[in-house]
Amino acid sequence: MNPLPSVSGLSWEDYDLVSRLKNNDKTAFSEIYFKYWENFFDSSYSFLRDEELAKDVLHDVFLDIWRIRHKLEIRYSIKAYLSVCIKNKCIFVLKERKKVEMLNIDSFDIMTSEYDQLALKDIEFQLNHVLKNKLTKKSRTIFELNRNEDLTYKEIAGRMNLSVKSVEYHMSKVLSLLKKSILIITTSILFF
């Protein structure tokens, strides 16, 4: 009988697959890919509402896993790990395309464990921290009026007695900061 892995929460099957993957076993990678691709495609597609985009997200996440296979540290389960990576990638893609409100991530329902929920809360906390502590009051107000009250740049400019260019500048600054923060958070989850 094989000894159980020393990492808490990781099943023997996942431990075996990760160990083989770290040793460049393409068969292990294929097993992971085919075991989870369809389920995560359905979830990604239902969130992104774009078949090609959903495929691209999955392709990128699996490609990243292959690239970092030697450093891969999965502590709970492959499914939970993929869930967090794919969710973060979907959020990043949507933020880039400005299709959803910032921090409105409750509707994405592929989380599979208590650990995933904690990771999600950590991400939300970190992004809220950025919004509250790294923005000027004016930038934060402009961002909140745009995202929370759905005001256009012109409407914000009128309400705050600013030029539209000034509002564009502040929004550009905020979105750039959030983009960098999301990239850092996503990378830290991918390499945890």
Side-chain angles (χ1 to χ4, degrees):
M1 182 170 153
N2 291 325
L4 290 175
S6 61
V7 180
S8 174
L10 195 62
S11 71
W12 175 252
E13 179 185 7
D14 282 0
Y15 178 79
D16 179 57
L17 283 170
V18 172
S19 296
R20 289 169 42 212
L21 184 63
K22 284 182 167 190
N23 289 312
N24 302 320
D25 186 335
K26 292 179 182 175
T27 305
F29 179 78
S30 293
E31 287 177 43
I32 294 167
Y33 180 88
F34 288 111
K35 181 174 182 179
Y36 295 108
W37 193 90
E38 187 173 342
N39 183 44
F40 283 120
F41 172 78
D42 291 343
S43 298
S44 298
Y45 176 74
S46 69
F47 190 59
L48 297 169
R49 307 278 189 235
D50 182 321
E51 186 174 328
E52 290 305 311
L53 197 54
K55 287 178 183 177
D56 288 346
V57 163
L58 291 175
H59 175 77
D60 289 349
V61 168
F62 280 105
L63 186 60
D64 287 342
I65 286 173
W66 179 254
R67 284 183 187 141
I68 65 159
R69 65 192 177 278
H70 301 295
K71 300 176 190 174
L72 198 59
E73 293 298 329
I74 296 179
R75 298 178 184 171
Y76 297 93
S77 74
I78 293 172
K79 186 175 182 179
Y81 184 86
L82 287 170
S83 175
V84 172
C85 294
I86 291 167
K87 179 173 183 168
N88 288 338
K89 184 70 171 178
C90 286
I91 292 167
F92 180 77
V93 166
L94 287 174
K95 299 307 178 209
E96 283 291 296
R97 297 175 127 220
K98 300 178 186 176
K99 285 190 173 179
V100 295
E101 287 183 30
M102 194 65 210
L103 305 177
N104 183 17
I105 54 183
D106 294 334
S107 61
F108 195 65
D109 192 23
I110 64 170
M111 303 311 281
T112 57
S113 72
E114 186 176 308
Y115 174 75
D116 296 330
Q117 295 298 330
L118 293 174
L120 178 58
K121 287 179 192 276
D122 186 49
I123 291 166
E124 288 179 292
F125 174 79
Q126 290 178 51
L127 290 176
N128 278 322
H129 177 77
V130 168
L131 288 173
K132 289 178 183 171
N133 299 308
K134 296 196 175 191
L135 298 177
T136 65
K137 184 176 181 182
K138 186 182 286 185
S139 291
R140 186 171 53 251
T141 301
I142 289 170
F143 178 79
E144 289 171 352
L145 288 171
N146 179 255
R147 296 304 164 128
N148 298 338
E149 295 186 31
D150 207 25
L151 297 181
T152 65
Y153 290 0
K154 186 176 181 181
E155 291 168 331
I156 295 168
R159 184 180 282 191
M160 295 185 68
N161 199 25
L162 298 169
S163 70
V164 173
K165 288 284 184 196
S166 179
V167 172
E168 288 173 356
Y169 166 77
H170 284 278
M171 282 298 292
S172 174
K173 192 169 77 171
V174 171
L175 293 173
S176 176
L177 178 63
L178 289 172
K179 178 180 169 183
K180 288 176 190 169
S181 299
I182 290 169
L183 185 60
I184 290 166
I185 293 166
T186 302
T187 303
S188 71
I189 291 294
L190 189 58
F191 288 98
F192 75 91

